[in-house]
Amino acid sequence: MNPRLVDQLDTNLLRVLHTLLTERSVTRTAMKLGQSQPAISNMLKRLRDITGDAILVRGKNGMTPTERGQELLQLAQQGLKVMESIASPAPAFVAATTQRVFHLGAPDYLSVLLLPLVMEKVRELAPNAGLVIHALNAGFDYATALENGELDCVIGNWPDLPPQLHIAQLFEDELVCMVNRKHPVVSKGLSLRYYLDMPHLAPTPYMAGHRSIIDTALAELGHKRKIQMTLPYFGMVPYVLSRTDLLFTTSRSFAVQCAKDWPIEVLPVPVPMPKMKFFMLWHERVHAAAEVQWLRRVISEASGEVIG
């Protein structure tokens, strides 16, 4: 294929080709397209040069397509449809009928409250849609996953936010302590000395080299807690606390939810701590995509219910 000849094709020539092959007449084509007969004849000559085929030849009852011309009619129809699709705006997104599968990245600690709320709203508003939750861990490059389309958006809390991504703050939550309801500290009160001396349960970091907001705040005050055990799944926390004397520091929303169903007491942290800030991140590639805009609204609405 000669690239120079391909470059000569444009929408106008494609439309002329399609009309010539359907009307089988230079005169009728000129009338239908509002152009002069010599102009259409000229374009037919150009089309013959480009395709290397006569396209239309004289027959008993006027002009008739060549065998190649008949093939070109179907190709011209397809080409015009493609060009019309490119020039048309994207179809309106309708949540009630969409079958799109959404991909959301989130750390495990959001599984108790926020993620079930998001799933509830997606099921209610888009019953035919799919939602896949991807767990964030130290080995998962979520920024690249957002860029290549593996993820639509990510939610979590980060000490440093990537500057190349779009960011929206979802909610804030205060830090509290969780402990077995039978632990002596419940009646004695959790002092700073007890807090630093007690064995702590902590989550496995979901980002390599990431120090938690808790340990960062303690270090700034010259303190360090004793992390005795770590675990990768927040769903295990109430099981572990109900069987041990470990102390777990986490967000109030998570702690209160667990305390409803488990023998767990929620206590204030005996040292000033900054609030946990939860964010949603997404890439520019889906910033204007109507379906992902809808998902972000769903997540924002669900986030408002976590604290509210």
Side-chain angles (χ1 to χ4, degrees):
M1 177 65 69
N2 188 332
R4 186 182 61 82
L5 296 176
V6 174
D7 290 343
Q8 293 180 39
L9 278 172
D10 57 27
T11 309
N12 188 41
L13 263 182
L14 204 58
R15 199 173 300 283
V16 169
L17 173 62
H18 180 263
T19 309
L20 279 168
L21 288 167
T22 51
E23 295 295 331
R24 302 186 180 188
S25 164
V26 171
T27 303
R28 287 197 297 273
T29 297
M31 291 175 63
K32 190 165 186 177
L33 297 179
Q35 299 192 45
S36 67
Q37 190 169 325
I40 298 299
S41 296
N42 231 7
M43 283 189 264
L44 176 57
K45 181 178 182 305
R46 284 178 61 195
L47 286 164
R48 284 169 171 166
D49 290 340
I50 291 169
T51 61
D53 188 86
I55 301 175
L56 286 171
V57 293
R58 295 196 178 279
K60 185 177 179 181
N61 299 311
M63 302 289 279
T64 188
T66 62
E67 188 173 340
R68 175 61 176 158
Q70 198 61 48
E71 294 174 0
L72 291 173
L73 174 59
Q74 186 176 357
L75 292 173
Q77 287 172 335
Q78 293 172 353
L80 287 170
K81 282 183 180 178
V82 168
M83 289 182 175
E84 286 170 4
S85 295
I86 291 172
S88 301
F93 173 74
V94 181
T97 58
T98 186
Q99 296 182 9
R100 192 191 195 282
V101 177
F102 296 97
H103 291 267
L104 173 63
D108 179 65
Y109 58 74
L110 293 174
S111 62
V112 172
L113 204 56
L114 178 58
L115 295 183
L117 277 173
V118 172
M119 290 178 166
E120 178 186 359
K121 289 180 180 295
V122 170
R123 284 296 299 149
E124 177 188 347
L125 301 173
N128 299 310
L131 177 61
V132 179
I133 305 296
H134 298 255
L136 298 186
N137 54 57
F140 185 30
D141 185 353
Y142 68 85
T144 298
L146 288 169
E147 184 174 339
N148 64 24
E150 184 181 345
L151 295 179
D152 294 309
C153 55
V154 169
I155 51 180
N157 71 310
W158 295 267
D160 300 304
L161 296 167
Q164 76 274 20
L165 298 174
H166 289 275
I167 299 164
Q169 183 170 326
L170 295 176
F171 62 94
E172 293 183 349
D173 202 355
E174 66 176 322
L175 287 163
V176 296
C177 295
M178 296 170 62
V179 69
N180 189 309
R181 194 167 288 160
K182 295 179 181 178
H183 197 291
V185 79
V186 173
S187 56
K188 291 179 181 178
L190 183 59
S191 66
L192 176 57
R193 183 173 64 81
Y194 285 156
Y195 183 82
L196 297 176
D197 288 344
M198 285 178 66
H200 286 250
L201 176 68
T204 305
Y206 66 89
M207 284 191 299
H210 167 58
R211 186 164 68 170
S212 75
I213 186 176
I214 302 158
D215 295 303
T216 300
L218 288 172
E220 288 175 354
L221 295 170
H223 302 307
K224 185 177 181 181
R225 60 179 175 160
K226 294 182 191 175
I227 297 177
Q228 204 80 18
M229 296 185 180
T230 63
L231 77 179
Y233 308 113
F234 269 66
M236 293 172 60
V237 169
Y239 290 90
V240 174
L241 294 183
S242 67
R243 291 178 171 270
T244 67
D245 61 345
L246 295 170
L247 183 73
F248 189 70
T249 308
T250 188
S251 64
R252 175 173 289 279
S253 57
F254 177 83
V256 169
Q257 189 68 20
C258 290
K260 290 178 181 177
D261 304 310
W262 292 86
I264 287 170
E265 194 73 23
V266 179
L267 304 172
V269 181
V271 62
M273 286 278 178
K275 286 189 174 182
M276 295 181 73
K277 294 182 179 181
F278 294 84
F279 299 91
M280 175 166 52
L281 310 178
W282 65 95
H283 195 272
E284 177 65 25
R285 68 188 301 279
V286 294
H287 184 61
E291 60 271 31
V292 183
Q293 288 180 345
W294 174 83
L295 177 63
R296 296 199 299 267
R297 286 196 298 272
V298 167
I299 293 170
S300 295
E301 290 170 8
S303 298
E305 296 178 23
V306 171
I307 303 301

